[in-house]
Amino acid sequence: MKHRYLISGGGTGGHIFPALAIANKIKKENPEAEILFIGASDKMEMKRVPEAGYPIEGLRIYGISRDFSPKGIWKNIKLPFVLMRAMRKARAIIREFKPDIAIGVGGFASGPALKAADQLGVPTLLQEQNSYPGVTNKMLAPKAKSICVAYEGLEKYFPADKIVLTGNPIRAEILNLKRKDPKAYDFFGFSPEKKTVLVVGGSLGARTLNETMAAHLEELRNADLQVIWQTGELFYKNIDSKLLASQDEQVRILPFIRNMNDAYSIADIIVSRAGALAIAELSVVGVPTILVPFPYAAEDHQTYNAKALSTKGAAVLIPDSEAREKLLPSLMELAGNPERCEQMGQTLRTLAQPDAIDKIYQQIEQV
């Protein structure tokens, strides 16, 4: 039987990539399925979802502004009217598409989309990536049929009888990753004889990591390390032209890495933020990792994510405020300590949850 699946959410890769992993799993199990995404019209999902081959409708929606300038205050005054328009459009989309289920992964657009779905009698399922849920999922939880989570202890935020511990969904190409793939070395133009450092501050980039890399890139090059550095789109637009011009057979500076499986394949050391999706992927990849948590995440949940690994010896945790001073020495120490790297990678792999997407798909089909 052909089913229709509505998937909504986005804003960052931490929401978009789980949504795409869910969509790909649905298509794999049910090739006749029809899938439609709803996102925020000015966010990155409007680009990434079509690139993955799925249709998407955009809602003009944003969250509460914490900017107390006249512009920020005016945005908050307009917000109720923006929400009403988004709800009207979401209802129109749902009436036309007629989904059998609506799946929310967090982000601004999933609020009006799933609320509209519930009002029109469509059952809803939530997928929460973090140890501290976002505002949208907390708001939608009472009406959801099932809530798939990656961390224990979320009963304080969600109805306990709806929670299913599944782990976070990971893209199939990362689950099926081939380590040290010659094709991946060819893609980046790198040598298999040299160690490769992958620096990725999330899909939107990370200012601290970018500034630290800009300051120490030459030292990494002089240490005969190869570097893949994802800056994020915004930083890349403003990056020093001399820095871009310095790229050679050892350095690749990119705004966004679409084929992350190739980057993971050849990475010997990874520097990353500590978002929930990053943690899930890094655990599967099993490469020595330095985590620099985003310090302004809700309830500082990225630091808790990172501590869950660092206390087990599965990663190195460096607070954002100390990264400019400590990141380079930590990188150099790992690069020169293969025994520690091997042990760290082994420990990290024991924390992986590669079957999360199967558990989530089971919940979707039950709903």
Side-chain angles (χ1 to χ4, degrees), residues 49-330:
V49 170
E51 285 177 348
Y54 296 102
I56 185 168
E57 295 277 355
L59 305 179
R60 182 173 175 265
I61 185 69
Y62 54 82
I64 295 172
S65 174
R66 292 173 175 81
D67 174 10
F68 296 105
S69 69
K71 182 180 178 182
I73 292 169
W74 178 238
K75 281 185 71 175
N76 286 338
I77 291 171
K78 292 193 298 180
L79 184 56
F81 303 99
V82 171
L83 285 168
M84 284 190 287
R85 282 196 296 269
M87 281 289 296
R88 281 198 298 270
K89 184 172 182 180
R91 280 195 291 264
I93 293 168
I94 290 165
R95 286 193 182 101
E96 182 178 351
F97 183 60
K98 297 181 175 63
D100 296 290
I101 185 172
I103 302 161
V105 297
F108 298 141
S110 64
L114 265 74
K115 189 171 182 180
D118 178 68
Q119 290 175 351
L120 294 172
V122 179
T124 63
L125 175 143
L126 303 179
Q127 195 271 317
E128 174 55 56
Q129 300 92 30
N130 293 300
S131 56
Y132 182 79
V135 173
T136 301
N137 275 353
K138 284 193 285 188
M139 176 191 74
L140 295 169
K143 296 294 183 70
K145 298 294 184 184
S146 180
I147 306 170
C148 298
V149 303
Y151 292 88
E152 296 179 345
L154 268 68
E155 295 82 2
K156 65 182 85 168
Y157 308 113
F158 296 143
D161 60 333
K162 298 181 179 183
I163 294 174
V164 182
L165 185 63
T166 60
N168 274 320
I170 299 168
R171 292 168 280 180
E173 62 266 29
I174 293 170
L175 284 173
N176 301 321
L177 186 73
K178 178 183 177 183
R179 287 286 296 152
K180 302 297 183 180
D181 187 347
K183 292 179 181 177
Y185 281 104
D186 290 343
F187 179 84
F188 288 104
F190 279 178
S191 167
E193 306 303 317
K194 295 182 179 181
K195 289 185 178 179
T196 301
V197 176
L198 171 62
V199 181
V200 53
S203 56
L204 300 179
R207 179 185 296 274
T208 300
L209 296 186
N210 286 334
E211 291 178 351
T212 304
M213 286 301 299
H216 298 296
L217 190 59
E218 200 59 31
E219 291 161 271
L220 294 171
R221 192 198 310 272
N222 292 339
D224 209 26
L225 295 171
Q226 298 173 143
V227 178
I228 304 171
W229 170 17
Q230 176 181 285
T231 65
E233 303 277 0
L234 184 60
F235 187 87
Y236 190 85
K237 289 177 183 176
N238 300 299
I239 201 166
D240 189 325
S241 59
K242 292 180 181 177
L243 204 57
L244 289 178
S246 71
Q247 295 182 82
D248 56 17
E249 70 278 359
Q250 282 181 253
V251 176
R252 297 288 174 269
I253 305 174
L254 304 165
F256 183 79
I257 302 172
R258 288 181 176 81
N259 52 327
M260 185 60 79
N261 53 312
D262 286 335
Y264 281 146
S265 173
I266 66 175
D268 296 288
I269 302 170
I270 298 175
V271 179
S272 174
R273 286 300 199 193
L277 180 64
I279 296 289
E281 292 187 348
L282 292 167
S283 299
V284 167
V285 176
V287 169
T289 298
I290 299 173
L291 296 172
V292 183
F294 178 56
Y296 305 111
E299 298 294 301
D300 199 21
H301 69 259
Q302 285 207 9
T303 297
Y304 288 104
N305 292 349
K307 283 181 177 177
L309 272 61
S310 65
T311 55
K312 295 180 175 69
V316 175
L317 191 167
I318 299 178
D320 187 88
S321 60
E322 300 175 13
R324 290 172 179 83
E325 175 188 350
K326 294 184 177 179
L327 180 55
L328 182 67
S330 292

